[in-house]
Amino acid sequence: MAEQKFTVIDEAGIHARPASVLVSTANKFQADIFLGHNGKDVNLKSILGVMSLGIGAGETFTIRAEGADADDALVELEKTLKNEGLAE
Amino acid sequence: MTLLQGIAASSGIAIAKAYCLVEPDLSFTKQSIDNTDAEITKFEAAIAKSVEELKDIQKIAERELGAEEAAIFDAHILVLNDPELINPIKDNINAEKVNAEHALKETTDMFIAMFEGMDNEYMQERAADIRDVTKRILSHLLGVKVVNPSTISEEVIVIAEDLTPSDTAQLNRKYVLGFATDIGGRTSHSAIMARSLEIPAIVGTGEATTKIQDGDLVIVDGLNGQLHINPSAELIAEYETAAEKYEAQKAEWAKLVNEKTLTADGEQVELAANIGTPEDLEGVINNGGEAIGLYRTEFLYMGRDQLPTEEEQFEAYKKVLEGMEGKPVVVRTLDIGGDKELPYLQLPEEMNPFLGFRAIRLCLEEQEIFRTQLRALLRASTFGDLKIMFPMIATLGEFRQAKAILEEEKEALIAAGEKVSETIEVGIMVEIPSTAVQADQFAKEVDFFSIGTNDLIQYTMAADRMNERVSYLYQPYNPAILRLVKMVIDASHREGKWTGMCGEMAGDEIAIPLLLGLGLDEFSMSATSILKARSQILQLKKSDMVKLAESALEMGTAEEVMEAVQKACK
């Protein structure tokens, strides 16, 4: 299992476009990946789940991956978050 | 072959196959299902088709609108593949033994309710995305075609009940040769858009959508307001000749593109264009517009799910100012409300939207929206000859307040080191009778007037211009209207100011002689009307028109005025 904490830096929070990119990245992996925010966990492979958290600018969230390629998934997701200027 | 008579909304002739833009019937009933496996297979097939369709739309959107606009479809495709959405639907079909349509609706309704319940406006708007996706899957489950105007890829004539501004924004100019609607009048949005797109259109046909099927051959005669359905070969030939003649006439007018607008006795007036977006500039230049008399900025705010940023607005204004190469550009600040809604502002519904919270009234209340627009305008002002115009001013107090806000933003920008033009004229739209009557007082403080006749007529005659049953009261030549116009023009001239007109009346063949006689300085109209108006004005003597206008002011009815003009300009 791999887990990492992030802070949203995009002014608009996790809105539709970056959420799409994030979910598309997660979909490339076998691992089960979860997004945790305010005590709630959602499936990171679900765009509705990710959007439903309504994570705003400056807020923190965690990404947790379980399964064979969990570590790779987390590395790739971190890269995506940074490239998109979404979180750090 | 059938003939429908409507209102000629935009001139020209188009002959092509019909493309019916109608809301599909997606109703269904809840059913018990025995073979749930087959139902799930059917559901999966509908998803697959929806994904395929979205990918096609996305490709077209990318090509026609750009990658940014197309990105929303990424999210839609992901929703279609979302396990949190798809799995519960399949479980529902299995456990409850219900049809896929019902299971789909039940699950998506839950998500829609969840998003609508969020306290973030942006997230609330996402409910619309889920609705859109649900509609697409449903249509494939039911085998009903959902139309999508952005995917049109052959030459067509669009047939619709009405076209909203966002519908029209999606129409591909390359393929949409013309359109016809069931409802609307000469001044409804669909009509105005048709003129700015320079495509022939007929509105108010009453029953175009019921009489016309997809693929029927139709002729849109935007000169006479006639819509022919499946015409005979003779009629087609006749119209092909008429279309050629019209093109020849246009070619004749085209020779006047670079001419000044002078009356036969040498008086000069200015012919300007009304535009909605920077894309309309090309039409203005091609049609010899001497200025932009009305830039309707509300299109920047429409067909999207959040307010445009200052930067987006700045870019649009800069583009228009630069495109006009130093010629005057009158920008009207946000005129929203009435028949132009912005869903994302979530304004409460009103009994009388045209008499309600709209235009400057909204801007003075929601000042952040107003100030953002003013900053964008001020920053763009150095790229050309900008004039700022406030809409729907009813009292001098409103004008003073709006002007004070403008001054505040100007000073703040200068203090922050931004460059702002020192010669921006600030004027108002005259569309409320109280303002016309008190024009003498306004003239001391404003730099110019622009008469918005569509609203001025509607408010003066107390006749809703969207209501066809009282459309006979839309009387631009009524002496009451002419007297108000005269009051405004005279008041401005006494203070050394100028008056323009940006309503439909300014480009009207009968009105032009009268307006010339009343002393109007600037005529702003659809770009496509400019050359025709110029060729008309070249033939008229200002001194004769002054006499004509004087006598018209003393007449009893609009009909008498119309007759007098026709006689005088024979």
Side-chain angles (χ1 to χ4, degrees):
Chain A
M1 193 187 84
E3 187 172 318
Q4 199 172 333
K5 201 170 167 180
F6 298 93
T7 307
V8 179
I9 51 173
D10 190 317
E11 267 179 43
I14 300 194
H15 53 101
R17 201 187 48 80
S20 305
V21 179
L22 213 52
V23 173
S24 302
T25 309
N27 275 334
K28 291 186 205 156
F29 297 93
Q30 291 297 319
D32 291 325
I33 309 174
F34 302 94
L35 182 70
H37 173 69
N38 271 349
K40 251 173 83 182
D41 260 5
V42 299
N43 183 349
L44 188 53
K45 294 180 179 177
S46 160
I47 185 152
L48 293 173
V50 173
M51 302 267 306
S52 72
L53 292 178
I55 307 176
E59 299 187 318
T60 59
F61 62 90
T62 54
I63 292 180
R64 182 164 52 87
E66 291 169 11
D69 52 4
D71 292 326
D72 294 342
L74 208 59
V75 170
E76 188 73 21
L77 283 165
E78 186 187 356
K79 215 159 76 187
T80 306
L81 285 169
K82 287 191 173 148
N83 286 347
E84 290 286 313
L86 188 58
E88 56 181 24
Chain B
M1 98 184 218
T2 318
L3 165 66
L4 291 181
Q5 181 68 47
I7 298 160
S10 178
S11 52
I13 290 165
I15 308 173
K17 279 189 183 152
Y19 181 95
C20 297
L21 200 62
V22 282
E23 276 294 305
D25 177 11
L26 295 177
S27 58
F28 62 90
T29 51
K30 181 179 175 182
Q31 279 163 16
S32 293
I33 296 293
D34 292 329
N35 188 348
T36 52
D37 284 348
E39 195 67 10
I40 287 176
T41 309
K42 182 178 119 183
F43 175 64
E44 283 171 342
I47 297 277
K49 274 191 205 153
S50 303
V51 171
E52 217 172 285
E53 193 176 68
L54 272 175
K55 282 185 176 159
D56 286 345
I57 294 176
Q58 186 175 34
K59 254 186 242 148
I60 293 168
E62 224 162 45
R63 195 177 62 220
E64 303 294 338
L65 307 166
E68 206 154 308
E69 298 285 332
I72 187 63
F73 296 110
D74 276 332
H76 283 197
I77 292 169
L78 284 171
V79 170
L80 284 169
N81 288 316
D82 193 324
E84 305 295 329
L85 177 75
I86 303 307
N87 293 337
I89 295 171
K90 290 181 184 170
D91 292 347
N92 200 339
I93 296 172
N94 263 327
E96 307 287 328
K97 296 198 179 305
V98 289
N99 51 334
E101 291 89 340
H102 178 78
L104 167 74
K105 185 87 190 336
E106 218 166 49
T107 310
T108 52
D109 276 355
M110 194 192 72
F111 275 105
I112 290 169
M114 186 177 82
F115 277 99
E116 279 180 341
M118 293 170 82
D119 56 5
N120 174 329
E121 205 174 287
Y122 176 78
M123 291 299 167
Q124 289 166 4
E125 287 292 327
R126 304 281 61 78
D129 291 333
I130 305 173
R131 273 205 193 89
D132 205 40
V133 171
T134 308
K135 214 165 99 178
R136 195 172 302 284
I137 307 173
L138 251 185
S139 74
H140 286 297
L141 282 173
L142 296 166
V144 178
K145 190 181 145 204
V146 171
V147 294
N148 187 323
S150 58
T151 60
I152 294 175
S153 55
E154 55 173 348
E155 294 189 337
V156 294
I157 285 166
V158 170
I159 308 293
E161 190 199 2
D162 191 15
L163 286 171
T164 65
S166 60
D167 286 334
T168 9
Q170 282 187 61
L171 295 180
N172 187 329
R173 294 174 193 214
K174 206 162 75 200
Y175 298 120
V176 177
L177 300 188
F179 67 74
T181 63
D182 288 350
I183 61 172
R186 239 195 99 72
T187 57
S188 59
H189 251 283
S190 50
I192 292 171
M193 283 300 288
R195 287 192 289 276
S196 89
L197 290 170
E198 300 188 29
I199 57 175
I202 304 173
V203 297
T205 61
E207 44 185 2
T209 54
T210 49
K211 295 272 180 189
I212 298 173
Q213 306 289 324
D214 257 334
D216 280 349
L217 189 72
V218 291
I219 299 176
V220 171
D221 175 355
L223 301 167
N224 301 304
Q226 291 183 339
L227 180 63
H228 298 273
I229 308 161
N230 292 324
S232 65
E234 289 86 17
L235 195 62
I236 294 175
E238 225 173 86
Y239 266 104
E240 278 167 352
T241 316
E244 273 169 34
K245 227 170 109 189
Y246 179 70
E247 290 307 317
Q249 167 89 82
K250 267 177 47 180
E252 200 54 41
W253 289 334
K255 293 179 186 156
L256 302 175
V257 165
N258 298 315
E259 298 295 316
K260 280 184 184 163
T261 312
L262 291 171
T263 61
D265 51 353
E267 295 279 342
Q268 188 167 1
V269 292
E270 185 175 82
L271 292 186
N274 298 340
I275 64 167
T277 72
E279 278 73 58
D280 297 335
L281 273 178
E282 198 189 327
V284 178
I285 310 284
N286 292 343
N287 287 290
E290 296 165 75
I292 303 288
L294 171 64
Y295 176 8
R296 298 186 176 92
T297 54
E298 45 277 10
F299 292 109
L300 274 168
Y301 295 74
M302 293 172 142
R304 49 188 294 146
D305 54 18
Q306 52 193 329
L307 288 164
T309 62
E310 182 182 320
E311 215 48 41
E312 276 174 75
Q313 296 192 53
F314 167 75
E315 288 302 330
Y317 304 148
K318 179 176 163 220
K319 205 165 163 187
V320 171
L321 285 160
E322 283 183 337
M324 286 307 288
E325 297 175 341
K327 292 177 187 148
V329 175
V330 180
V331 180
R332 176 173 75 187
T333 60
L334 183 60
D335 181 8
I336 217 71
D339 60 337
K340 292 166 282 190
E341 288 172 61
L342 288 187
Y344 56 86
L345 286 186
Q346 297 184 325
L347 297 170
E349 221 167 273
E350 299 186 348
M351 290 284 284
N352 281 311
F354 277 106
L355 302 182
F357 188 57
R358 60 175 284 206
I360 199 70
R361 302 165 182 187
L362 186 148
C363 285
L364 292 176
E365 187 77 29
E366 306 281 339
Q367 285 198 11
E368 261 327 297
I369 298 178
F370 190 42
R371 286 177 187 270
T372 303
Q373 179 172 39
L374 294 177
R375 279 196 300 274
L377 280 169
L378 289 164
R379 284 173 50 211
S381 65
T382 53
F383 294 93
D385 182 7
L386 172 70
K387 303 178 194 299
I388 296 176
M389 171 162 81
F390 303 127
M392 282 290 284
I393 294 282
T395 70
L396 201 48
E398 284 172 341
F399 172 71
R400 287 177 182 155
Q401 202 187 338
K403 174 117 193 248
I405 293 172
L406 177 68
E407 288 301 324
E408 271 174 42
E409 290 304 328
K410 186 174 162 187
E411 274 163 36
L413 281 174
I414 292 170
E418 292 274 355
K419 274 200 198 114
V420 176
S421 162
E422 278 307 319
T423 54
I424 306 171
E425 288 187 10
V426 182
I428 61 170
M429 289 272 286
V430 181
E431 48 201 328
I432 300 178
S434 64
T435 306
V437 171
Q438 220 195 354
D440 56 334
Q441 296 305 310
F442 277 98
K444 293 177 186 157
E445 301 188 27
V446 304
D447 294 320
F448 65 91
F449 291 124
S450 185
I451 306 176
T453 48
N454 303 351
D455 275 334
L456 183 65
I457 296 169
Q458 126 164 311
Y459 293 136
T460 305
M461 309 298 287
D464 183 350
R465 63 179 157 108
M466 311 296 275
N467 184 339
E468 284 156 49
R469 302 184 71 176
V470 294
S471 64
Y472 75 94
L473 286 169
Y474 184 82
Q475 296 185 354
Y477 324 126
N478 188 297
I481 303 295
L482 299 179
R483 288 183 188 195
L484 287 177
V485 170
K486 179 180 165 57
M487 284 173 87
V488 177
I489 295 173
D490 288 353
S492 70
H493 290 174
R494 275 197 297 274
E495 299 292 336
K497 313 286 172 68
W498 60 274
T499 297
M501 180 177 284
C502 57
E504 286 310 315
M505 193 174 165
D508 181 285
E509 212 174 345
I510 302 282
I512 286 173
L514 295 165
L515 297 171
L516 208 54
L518 293 172
L520 191 71
D521 302 289
E522 176 232 50
F523 298 65
S524 192
M525 58 194 76
S526 310
T528 45
S529 304
I530 290 176
L531 292 171
K532 187 180 171 202
R534 184 168 296 149
S535 82
Q536 184 188 6
I537 291 171
L538 290 176
Q539 310 295 322
L540 300 174
K541 261 195 180 154
K542 168 105 182 235
S543 55
D544 291 346
M545 295 307 114
V546 170
K547 280 180 218 144
L548 174 69
E550 270 169 13
S551 67
L553 289 168
E554 301 303 322
M555 287 178 185
T557 67
E559 289 75 17
E560 286 168 39
V561 173
M562 201 175 351
E563 259 172 55
V565 174
Q566 277 162 345
K567 213 173 123 201
C569 300
K570 259 254 140 54

